[in-house]
Amino acid sequence: MTVSGVASTAPSLPLPSRSPPATSASPEAAATSGGAASDRVALSGLGGALRGDGLTAFGALSDAQRQRLVDLVDSGKISGETVNDALTQRLKQARVSAMGATQRMYNNDHADLFFDEAASVDDLRGALSQTLARRSSLMDKLTAAMGEDERAAASNDLAARTMNPLLAKDRMGMSRHIMPGFFSMDFADSRLNSTKKQGDATYSLKALGVDLDAIDKALRKTGEEDAAAILSERAGLPTSRKVAADQDYSVDDALVKPLTAPPGASPPDASDYPNPLDYGKKLREFLQASVANLRKVGELGGHTVYQVDRPDHIQRPQGLPTPSPAGVAAAQGQPVDRAYMIGLATRY
């Protein structure tokens, strides 16, 4: 997964604007303002296929990376649509990775909040604001770093993988369970969840020797900024950045299926709960009810469970019916296995 891209001798390809959002920029507009190299993209099969997140991701790549993709499409080895799907998936993965790292940093830096039963909504939002500011500063350091040691140090700080020991403390005796709702993974959010088609496209690029690690590094800053915007949106913090939905997204083809409410129940909407603590409580209750429903029928709201951990870790009571594999496959497609999901993870 570390095959180097082909160096480009063509002029620089134009970068699509990040304001307004990428989905408002057309491939034609991005491909007609930069001279000969722009014309090459416009006339290739890639220029007409790039849109939305794919176009944004393409603009964040280096000249050599962009030219490599153009050449692959022009050679007929891969379609422009597949390249667009793959770039869309990598940008979504960059956002998911950044959101996960942001949550780890938030938890580590503000672990005391989880044990303070007097913690307020403003406390939680203020902590998020501090965490986002710290990550922005670290991202700037990573971008400006000249030496390998500097880059490694900034990248390690951004990953925030060393857990604060305080987080392992028992909270069973607390009357309030502090659980900020803005970090909850919403698998119905097309800005974060990829489709199987997009995942397959990423594997197609990999099979052609495209350096996915290099693409991920090129998209890291955009993913970080997009994740900060989504979290700010959820928490009600001011943000000038708007991350648009994926217009090509299909829940039926989603890599991870959204949780579906048990009969008579519905998932909570964060916008209905100004207090993140209240939303966290309702979400936890919903998830518990959903898991109970899963144990009862072997499915979750009629869907196969799609997740990185294998679904067979849930112990089903003896005598309960098992869903027909043929019926599940016909309705939802084959489940995505653990190795497939791990292969789509970022490598920084």
Side-chain angles (χ1 to χ4, degrees):
M1 214 161 103
T2 56
V3 180
S4 300
V6 177
S8 171
T9 58
S12 174
L13 303 183
L15 300 179
S17 172
R18 288 293 294 165
S19 178
T23 51
S24 64
S26 68
E28 292 79 9
T32 56
S33 59
S38 308
D39 294 339
R40 175 168 172 72
V41 175
L43 294 172
S44 76
L46 183 55
L50 290 173
R51 58 191 180 277
D53 286 339
L55 180 61
T56 298
F58 183 82
L61 303 181
S62 69
D63 289 353
Q65 288 171 320
R66 293 196 293 266
Q67 191 62 55
R68 167 76 161 148
L69 297 177
V70 169
D71 291 344
L72 284 173
V73 173
D74 287 349
S75 70
K77 294 179 179 178
I78 196 169
S79 70
E81 180 70 16
T82 300
V83 170
N84 182 75
D85 284 340
L87 291 178
T88 296
Q89 196 281 322
R90 297 324 291 164
L91 181 52
K92 291 182 181 183
Q93 198 68 38
R95 292 169 186 158
V96 170
S97 178
M99 288 185 72
T102 301
Q103 182 175 13
R104 292 193 297 271
M105 183 177 286
Y106 179 96
N107 292 348
N108 290 332
D109 291 355
H110 306 284
D112 56 312
L113 282 178
F114 295 94
F115 299 91
D116 181 2
E117 295 193 55
S120 68
V121 176
D122 288 340
D123 291 333
L124 299 178
R125 288 175 176 154
L128 177 61
S129 182
Q130 292 172 23
T131 298
L132 294 180
R134 182 186 173 201
R135 294 191 66 79
S136 178
S137 177
L138 284 170
M139 196 69 234
D140 288 342
K141 288 183 180 180
L142 179 65
T143 303
M146 299 297 292
E148 188 61 35
D149 289 344
E150 286 182 283
R151 286 193 292 272
S155 181
N156 186 62
D157 287 343
L158 280 164
R161 297 191 183 281
T162 302
M163 189 180 80
N164 186 331
L166 183 59
L167 294 171
K169 182 179 176 182
D170 186 6
R171 289 188 276 173
M172 292 299 293
M174 296 178 62
S175 60
R176 296 175 72 211
H177 189 88
I178 311 300
M179 180 181 170
F182 34 73
F183 286 117
S184 299
M185 183 59 182
D186 181 1
F187 293 118
D189 191 336
S190 66
R191 300 172 298 180
L192 301 171
N193 197 11
S194 300
T195 63
K196 181 66 163 54
K197 178 172 177 276
Q198 291 165 350
D200 288 348
T202 295
Y203 276 101
S204 294
L205 271 191
K206 179 181 178 182
L208 290 172
V210 174
D211 189 346
L212 294 184
D213 289 357
I215 286 180
D216 287 346
K217 289 177 182 177
L219 298 181
R220 188 171 187 176
K221 182 176 177 61
T222 303
E224 189 74 34
E225 292 173 347
D226 284 355
I230 292 171
L231 287 170
S232 295
E233 171 190 303
R234 292 179 174 184
L237 295 174
T239 177
S240 59
R241 193 182 189 90
K242 177 69 174 176
V243 183
D246 178 5
Q247 299 301 315
D248 296 327
Y249 181 76
S250 168
V251 172
D252 290 338
D253 192 39
L255 276 180
V256 183
K257 299 293 183 183
L259 284 172
T260 304
S266 60
D269 186 337
S271 63
D272 294 335
Y273 298 90
N275 187 335
L277 296 176
D278 293 335
Y279 172 72
K281 178 181 178 181
K282 291 295 183 182
L283 179 63
R284 187 170 67 257
E285 292 173 352
F286 169 72
L287 293 175
Q288 289 170 344
S290 297
V291 171
N293 189 53
L294 171 66
R295 288 177 177 148
K296 177 181 177 183
V297 302
E299 295 181 74
L300 184 57
H303 296 302
T304 304
V305 178
Y306 284 63
Q307 56 188 46
V308 173
D309 294 329
R310 295 184 186 278
D312 56 11
H313 72 284
I314 295 175
Q315 298 301 314
R316 300 180 64 254
Q318 293 291 330
L320 288 185
T322 300
S324 164
V328 171
Q332 298 296 332
Q334 291 297 329
V336 176
D337 63 24
R338 184 171 183 268
Y340 184 98
M341 296 293 286
I342 289 176
L344 294 176
T346 55
R347 295 291 188 268
Y348 47 72

